[in-house]
Amino acid sequence: MWHLYFVLDLASLSIPFIFSFHPKLKFYKLWKYFFPATFIMMAFFVSWDIIFTQNGFWGFNDTYLSGYRLINLPIEEWLFFICIPYACLFTIYAFKDLWPKFAFSNKLTKIVYYTLQTIFIVILLYNFDRWYTAINFAYAVVLLGLVFNYMRSALNIFFPVFLVLLIPFFIVNGFLTGSWINEQVVWYNDAENLGIRIGTVPIEDSVYALTMLLTIFVLMEKFKEKYPSKTEEIIK
């Protein structure tokens, strides 16, 4: 089973990559925005990952890994930060282009935003001594606050599609955290999180996914605005 994490990475990437060249989607044209945005995200998230791994806040089961590591992280974990965001951002832009009405109203976005911020802040205040919870929720509070105040329309699109993405997210993360297999691929030190799980997935992972994907999405939108394609320039 050493290949399981690697297979999950590639399986998540495969169909979105193939359909990136579909004439109605053409996600490949957004690669020039996706990869810089993803590498910026990785600068923060991978650093965080390395530090948490070194301190035993979480770790990896070698039974499901190839054995190759880079800066103390399995190569599969590095691929995770490219394959999973690629699949998710492809999905976000597919909804954005093909079903533009699949979006929250300004009023609903505001309700969701204030609800999430209230939950995150309350949890953060009572769990600042739990590293995964504290860093995860603090970043979510800051990121959501910035996006809500400066790029609110991005949340109108992001929130509903993220709800859809939670379905494959819990399937993939379920495998990684021990659902349907004998052991965990990724284990967590519950002293550093809330200890609340949906199935086998720590509740913090859903917030982690939200901030990881939202970081890339808003950066891509900013890059598109600053460096529009020739087609977009003609339209303007």
Side-chain angles (χ1 to χ4, degrees):
M1 292 292 288
W2 66 266
H3 58 286
L4 179 61
Y5 197 175
F6 184 74
V7 168
L8 287 172
D9 284 336
L10 292 189
S12 300
L13 175 68
S14 58
I15 294 177
F17 179 77
I18 292 169
F19 278 91
S20 294
F21 303 94
H22 191 284
K24 289 186 177 181
L25 297 172
K26 299 180 181 178
F27 186 69
Y28 71 92
K29 291 189 174 182
L30 298 182
W31 287 359
K32 62 182 178 182
Y33 308 124
F34 169 78
F35 286 107
T38 299
F39 294 148
I40 291 171
M41 175 277 294
M42 290 177 68
F44 173 56
F45 277 76
V46 172
S47 299
W48 169 5
D49 201 346
I50 292 169
I51 293 170
F52 275 27
T53 302
Q54 289 176 340
N55 285 276
F57 299 160
W58 60 46
F60 307 91
N61 184 345
D62 288 338
T63 303
Y64 299 99
L65 304 175
S66 64
Y68 295 103
R69 291 180 178 255
L70 178 63
I71 319 179
N72 201 37
L73 287 185
I75 197 68
E76 294 88 348
E77 182 77 349
W78 288 86
L79 288 173
F80 170 91
F81 288 107
I82 297 173
C83 297
I84 302 303
Y86 188 98
C88 293
L89 269 297
F90 166 85
T91 304
I92 291 171
Y93 279 99
F95 272 94
K96 186 172 182 287
D97 294 338
L98 299 180
W99 300 285
K101 292 184 178 180
F102 190 81
F104 284 170
S105 65
N106 290 333
K107 182 178 180 180
L108 183 53
T109 294
K110 187 179 292 187
I111 291 171
V112 172
Y113 167 75
Y114 283 115
T115 301
L116 288 176
Q117 287 291 61
T118 301
I119 293 170
F120 293 162
I121 291 170
V122 170
I123 292 176
L124 184 58
L125 289 175
Y126 284 94
N127 296 276
F128 61 88
D129 57 336
R130 299 175 187 268
W131 277 99
Y132 186 24
T133 306
I135 298 297
N136 202 7
F137 283 53
Y139 181 59
V141 169
V142 173
L143 178 63
L144 284 171
L146 289 172
V147 177
F148 183 77
N149 283 285
Y150 297 104
M151 288 184 65
R152 190 173 305 184
S153 60
L155 294 177
N156 293 10
I157 300 165
F158 181 83
F159 279 152
V161 182
F162 181 71
L163 290 175
V164 175
L165 290 171
L166 282 176
I167 298 171
F169 162 78
F170 278 111
I171 294 173
V172 173
N173 249 36
F175 274 106
L176 292 177
T177 54
S179 298
W180 312 296
I181 57 176
N182 295 328
E183 302 176 53
Q184 302 173 52
V185 179
V186 182
W187 56 262
Y188 292 81
N189 177 356
D190 285 342
E192 303 299 341
N193 61 56
L194 294 172
I196 300 171
R197 301 205 177 204
I198 300 175
T200 57
V201 180
I203 193 68
E204 284 88 350
D205 277 12
S206 58
V207 181
Y208 186 95
L210 184 150
T211 54
M212 178 176 69
L213 300 178
L214 183 57
T215 298
I216 299 173
F217 182 53
V218 295
L219 285 173
M220 287 181 69
E221 290 295 289
K222 277 293 183 183
F223 292 157
K224 285 178 64 183
E225 182 181 307
K226 190 171 183 179
Y227 307 107
S229 65
K230 291 182 180 179
T231 303
E232 290 171 325
E233 288 178 337
I234 292 171
I235 293 173
K236 290 180 180 180

